[in-house]
Amino acid sequence: MAEIKGRVHSFESFGTLDGPGIRFLVFMQGCPLRCIYCHNRDTWDTNRGKLYTPEEIIDELMKYKNYINFSGGGITVTGGEPTLQAEFVCEVFKQAKKLGVHTALDTSGFVSIEKVRGLLEYTDLVLLDIKHIDEEMHKRITGEENTKCREFALYVSSKGIPIWIRYVLLPGFTDDTEDLEKTAQFIKELKSVEKIEVLPYHSMGAYKWGKMGCEYELNGVREPDVKEVKKAQEILSRGLNKGK
């Protein structure tokens, strides 16, 4: 059987925002979505990146294992979209779990369930990026419908895997009050949500689009202010199942 390899965009050694504790971050190469606000535009192409074996990823992880253990951290695989390489990520997580390392998957959930059943068996936490609750607006923002994303979220919840929701607040696209309320209603269906983070849109990744000769559609779109972020946080937090 041929050795499994994965295409990796980059690593980050001391992540503190993508799961509990200090995290070793693996950015996978390739993404099926085409988010108009993407700040990692260079991760889309599935043919770029560097090939690694799962063992090589674990070797990188081991350099920081003392910090990870001390902080209650772990490994977070993000992207791009890591579920595009689910078999590879599954093997990485399997080996990480043997070492007692906490595993987190940062995903949009745009994947068929059968492709990730095995991976989710070794996943301790899912960082779920909800792009938009409305199917048409989801398509407008990402180029794809959101049916798979909804099914994925419900499946993860049914398995009892902890979920941290992430929601990018983009003025004119994802900040409508009614849409936020509908999103909160959907979150309420997910019984394992522990945390909801509203991430204010920023244009810091716009330069990557220009560098790659691509048009950045959101030039001139403002960043949301503190009040808007707070309002969105309050509405979405109604979806948390308090007291469970």
Side-chain angles (χ1 to χ4, degrees):
M1 182 175 159
E3 186 176 39
I4 184 171
K5 291 187 177 182
R7 287 194 176 274
V8 175
H9 176 270
S10 56
F11 301 110
E12 188 179 316
S13 311
F14 292 94
T16 56
L17 302 173
D18 303 278
I22 291 172
R23 316 293 298 180
F24 176 63
L25 268 61
V26 183
F27 292 84
M28 300 303 293
Q29 184 71 38
C31 188
L33 300 184
R34 297 293 179 258
C35 297
I36 55 177
Y37 54 71
C38 182
H39 57 271
N40 287 326
R41 172 64 181 83
D42 48 340
T43 64
W44 288 5
D45 189 344
T46 53
N47 295 312
R48 298 180 70 178
K50 184 180 174 184
L51 285 171
Y52 285 84
T53 64
E55 291 73 22
E56 287 171 327
I57 301 294
I58 297 299
D59 286 345
E60 288 293 321
L61 165 71
M62 290 302 291
K63 296 175 186 175
Y64 314 101
K65 190 156 186 293
N66 288 341
Y67 298 100
I68 287 169
N69 288 348
F70 178 76
S71 68
I75 182 172
T76 298
V77 180
T78 179
E81 174 49 63
T83 60
L84 266 186
Q85 302 184 68
E87 189 183 355
F88 174 79
V89 180
C90 179
E91 189 55 40
V92 171
F93 278 7
K94 196 183 290 186
Q95 293 189 29
K97 294 301 293 173
K98 283 180 185 173
L99 297 168
V101 174
H102 180 275
T103 59
L105 181 71
D106 182 10
T107 177
S108 68
F110 186 76
V111 63
S112 300
I113 302 298
E114 59 268 19
K115 291 185 179 176
V116 289
R117 286 187 204 276
L119 167 57
L120 290 172
E121 292 297 323
Y122 298 94
T123 301
D124 294 317
L125 172 67
V126 170
L127 305 172
L128 181 65
D129 301 307
I130 293 183
K131 308 295 184 180
H132 208 288
I133 197 66
D134 179 78
E135 197 167 282
E136 284 308 309
M137 278 303 289
H138 192 278
K139 199 168 183 178
R140 168 77 179 86
I141 291 167
T142 71
E144 299 287 351
E145 294 174 353
N146 62 6
T147 306
K148 283 183 179 178
C149 306
R150 283 169 169 266
E151 289 173 352
F152 175 87
L154 291 165
Y155 180 77
V156 171
S157 172
S158 75
K159 298 292 285 184
I161 302 167
I163 298 171
W164 290 9
I165 300 286
R166 289 171 155 181
Y167 187 89
V168 174
L169 193 66
L170 175 60
F173 291 86
T174 67
D175 60 342
D176 179 77
T177 300
E178 190 179 331
D179 288 333
L180 288 166
E181 288 170 348
K182 286 178 182 174
T183 306
Q185 282 301 314
F186 177 67
I187 292 171
K188 199 171 274 191
E189 295 178 45
L190 310 175
K191 305 306 179 188
S192 59
V193 176
E194 295 183 344
K195 187 176 178 180
I196 297 170
E197 294 178 285
V198 174
L199 308 176
Y201 160 74
H202 63 74
S203 58
M204 286 187 282
Y207 76 95
K208 292 183 184 178
W209 291 67
K211 208 172 171 184
M212 297 180 73
C214 303
E215 183 187 350
Y216 186 66
E217 185 184 333
L218 300 178
N219 278 327
V221 173
R222 65 177 180 83
E223 298 181 3
D225 61 34
V226 176
K227 272 187 177 179
E228 290 170 310
V229 174
K230 188 181 176 188
K231 176 189 170 187
Q233 184 75 52
E234 285 173 353
I235 294 173
L236 293 180
S237 293
R238 294 173 198 160
L240 279 172
N241 290 286
K242 294 183 176 68
K244 51 183 179 168

